[in-house]
Amino acid sequence: MPRPFDALRRRAERSPLLAQTSGAAVAGWTRFCHATTRWDVRGADAVTAATAEGPVLMLLWHEMVMLGSAHWRPEWGRLVTLHDASPAGRAGGAAQAWIGARPFIIAANQSSLAVTREVLGLIRGGASLAVAGDGPRGPCRVLKDPPIDWARAAGLPVFVYGWAIAGMPRANSWDRMLLARPFARGAAVFRRWEGQVPRRLDEATREALRADLAARLTAVAEEARVIVAPRGG
């Protein structure tokens, strides 16, 4: 690739205007698909009950971020979505802002402690959090430490969330991201995680919690897929 073109591409990727434009386009398509899909939503009553008491932590796999906040209801309060500062992350954050969530950038050079302090500040301000359990870069469906640490530090109820649309395509990306389509049949599933994160967390307990939470995330994704699967398929 010629150097002048490569430099132009890098400048475009850093452009806030490009991120906003891309985010608006993605959000418009997402809203259209969401509005024209016949949704079967399960577990929403549990979220209603929990958010009446305060913020919650909502986890999903990264492959589902396209509709990551589309099923969040206004009466559940303010929702903050976390994303990184990469071009794709900024565009995704802009899309979530157009949908109605508040995007929050995590800088690549921030320490884990600094990120945790900022996240706890958001929670103390009354915001619920939507977080991709496998992070912005994966590996796919491998749960990271921060959700467990934040649940422990803030004492938040944790919900796992998954969605599916009949015949949904996937992107050619590391997470094989699910791509919404219009005029289809869809399902969204919320389940409260009943795991308890102790204040003192040794490595064996952390691994057990990580495995259980990852299994629950995969289970709601599979439950949504089965709901929209062709009968007998």
Side-chain angles (χ1 to χ4, degrees):
M1 181 181 295
R3 287 185 180 181
F5 181 83
D6 189 49
L8 179 62
R9 177 184 60 82
R10 287 196 299 269
R11 286 196 297 272
E13 287 179 343
R14 291 192 294 267
S15 167
L17 178 60
L18 178 61
Q20 289 293 329
T21 303
S22 301
V26 172
W29 176 251
T30 299
R31 286 198 300 264
F32 176 66
C33 292
H34 182 264
T36 59
T37 294
R38 304 181 305 279
W39 289 102
D40 181 350
V41 180
R42 304 187 181 184
D45 288 347
V47 184
T48 299
T51 52
E53 302 295 325
V56 303
L57 176 62
M58 186 178 75
L59 295 182
L60 66 161
W61 288 131
H62 194 276
E63 67 203 65
M64 299 186 172
V65 297
M66 186 174 188
L67 287 176
S69 60
H71 292 101
W72 186 265
R73 299 178 179 178
E75 61 266 29
W76 293 348
R78 185 159 50 98
L79 180 68
V80 171
T81 59
L82 305 182
H83 64 93
D84 66 359
S86 69
R90 291 200 311 275
Q96 296 301 321
W98 279 93
I99 294 170
R102 176 190 167 189
F104 185 82
I105 296 177
I106 297 177
N109 60 353
Q110 279 185 288
S111 68
S112 297
L113 181 59
V115 172
T116 297
R117 285 173 176 166
E118 292 196 6
V119 167
L120 292 179
L122 293 169
I123 294 168
R124 284 192 293 270
S128 293
L129 300 180
V131 180
D134 42 0
R137 297 182 180 87
C140 183
R141 294 195 177 188
V142 175
L143 191 74
K144 305 296 186 183
D145 283 333
I148 294 175
D149 294 333
W150 298 339
R152 177 185 59 172
L156 288 181
V158 178
F159 281 83
V160 291
Y161 159 72
W163 63 270
I165 292 176
M168 57 191 175
R170 287 181 178 265
N172 185 24
S173 56
W174 68 264
D175 57 354
R176 298 188 65 236
M177 182 178 291
L178 301 179
L179 303 176
R181 68 185 189 91
F183 306 108
R185 187 162 51 91
V189 180
F190 296 92
R191 291 284 180 265
R192 184 163 179 165
W193 182 51
E194 298 301 334
Q196 299 294 322
V197 185
R199 299 297 297 178
R200 294 183 178 274
L201 188 60
D202 59 42
E203 194 56 34
T205 302
R206 178 185 293 276
E207 287 304 317
L209 291 172
R210 190 203 315 272
D212 182 59
L213 188 50
R216 303 295 177 181
L217 270 169
T218 297
V220 291
E222 178 63 13
E223 183 178 347
R225 187 197 67 79
V226 170
I227 293 170
V228 301
R231 300 297 182 261

